[in-house]
Amino acid sequence: MMTRRLPGIGAAIDAIGSETGKSPSGGWTRRDLILMWGAASNQNRLYPDALPTLKTLGRCGGMGLSLGIISNTQSFDLDFLRRDGLEPFMDVICLSCDLGVLKPDPAIYRHAAGQMGLEPAQVLMVGDSLKDDVKGADRAGMNGVLLDRSGANATGAPAIRTLSELPGLITSWDP
């Protein structure tokens, strides 16, 4: 369901049933699932360091960088982009539901770089998944940094604990 556009949560529940050959169980009705999914989506919030860091990094901020989002996501609960104020900072938004591929497929990273007018080696991907964000970006020729808020990174991958660290990292980065 994250590799194609669907009109809503109900269609996603139907797609899950179709793909798995199973219908919702556990006493939940289709309506219950739709309401729970919607409520859960509406509870997602940005970390407090997100918007200040984007403002610092972005074209309107001191660093003037191009910014983008690469996300494995469904197509029907993207209100957070506007609601949480992300959309104005983004030059490019690459969603798996529009491109038909999921991270860590290198195609989604290369597409984002192309949309930004950059070579993959000129792009720094920051994400919270070692497999999907850091290793996926690396396979596409990008540089990846793990956002490891817990500090549990034992992989040796480049990592930051908060987005507030990103401007300093970028200042010392030489693609």
Side-chain angles (χ1 to χ4, degrees), residues 34-175:
I34 291 169
L35 291 172
M36 286 188 291
W37 192 326
S41 293
N42 288 331
Q43 289 179 3
N44 290 333
R45 292 292 178 258
L46 297 177
Y47 282 95
D49 59 347
L51 291 179
T53 302
L54 293 174
K55 186 174 183 178
T56 298
L57 296 175
R59 52 191 142 66
C60 297
M63 297 183 79
L65 301 173
S66 294
L67 301 177
I69 293 175
I70 301 172
S71 181
N72 289 348
T73 192
Q74 63 280 348
S75 57
F76 47 82
D77 62 357
L78 301 174
D79 296 343
F80 74 92
L81 291 169
R82 268 183 235 93
R83 178 193 69 214
D84 294 344
L86 286 171
E87 202 169 48
F89 293 103
M90 297 302 138
D91 298 292
V92 172
I93 298 176
C94 294
L95 307 175
S96 61
C97 61
D98 292 329
L99 298 173
V101 295
L102 295 166
K103 296 184 296 182
D105 187 316
I108 196 167
Y109 300 98
R110 290 185 189 125
H111 179 82
Q115 291 295 304
M116 296 175 103
L118 299 170
E119 292 298 319
Q122 296 175 291
V123 177
L124 179 64
M125 172 67 184
V126 179
D128 62 2
S129 168
L130 180 65
K131 176 185 166 225
D132 289 344
D133 298 318
V134 177
K135 290 185 178 181
D138 184 58
R139 286 180 46 220
M142 288 183 179
N143 302 277
V145 171
L146 182 64
L147 176 58
D148 178 24
R149 292 188 183 274
S150 71
N153 178 30
T155 66
I160 55 175
R161 296 272 316 261
T162 69
L163 290 173
S164 302
E165 296 173 50
L166 206 46
L169 177 73
I170 290 171
T171 300
S172 64
W173 180 54
D174 181 16

